[in-house]
Amino acid sequence: MITGVAHTAVCVPDVDAAVAWYESVLGLTVLSPPYLVEGDAIERDMGELVPSPVAVKAAILGFPDGGDRVLEVIEYPRAPGRPRPPDASVVDHGFTHVGLVCDDIVATRAELEGKGVRFLTRGMAEIVGLRTTWFADPHGLVFILLEKRDPQKPYFAQY
């Protein structure tokens, strides 16, 4: 039986650069620094998904009290992928976005804009008890900032 969501993974062309951006710009904590996994175990795990010989460079980011809810940043150094198409949209099938909770959306957006983050919406919206605004990372991956009306409730139970 499934008991929870462990992580969201994003594939990037350079794990070290992505980790530096997520840490310095978004303020995520590096919970497990970049490491390379290769050999028989990863070959058995992903050999049917990734061209052999399989090698995965990965790091885990999140917040110290976040438990299993983390962002896994991965790179396949022996099997470079394709960049996201420039016309990719949140309505395309597959990965669409990662949601990040903040306590003050106005201040957080201003801070991120000051760091050069590209926002996809002109302002903020209020919907089902949440204030929201959307941005992209340097690889074009989409994130939504969420400010909860009631910090004691999960984001999905704000209305």
Side-chain angles (χ1 to χ4, degrees), residues 69 101 127-130 146 148 150 153-159:
R69 294 178 305 265
V101 176
I127 183 167
V128 295
L130 300 164
L146 307 162
K148 301 187 297 185
D150 182 348
K153 292 182 179 178
Y155 89 93
F156 58 84
Q158 294 293 308
Y159 49 91

Side-chain angles (χ1 to χ4, degrees), residues 1 9 12 15-17 32 68 85-86 92 101 113:
M1 176 184 277
V12 297
V15 163
D16 296 305
S32 179
D68 284 336
D92 291 339
V101 176
E113 285 177 322

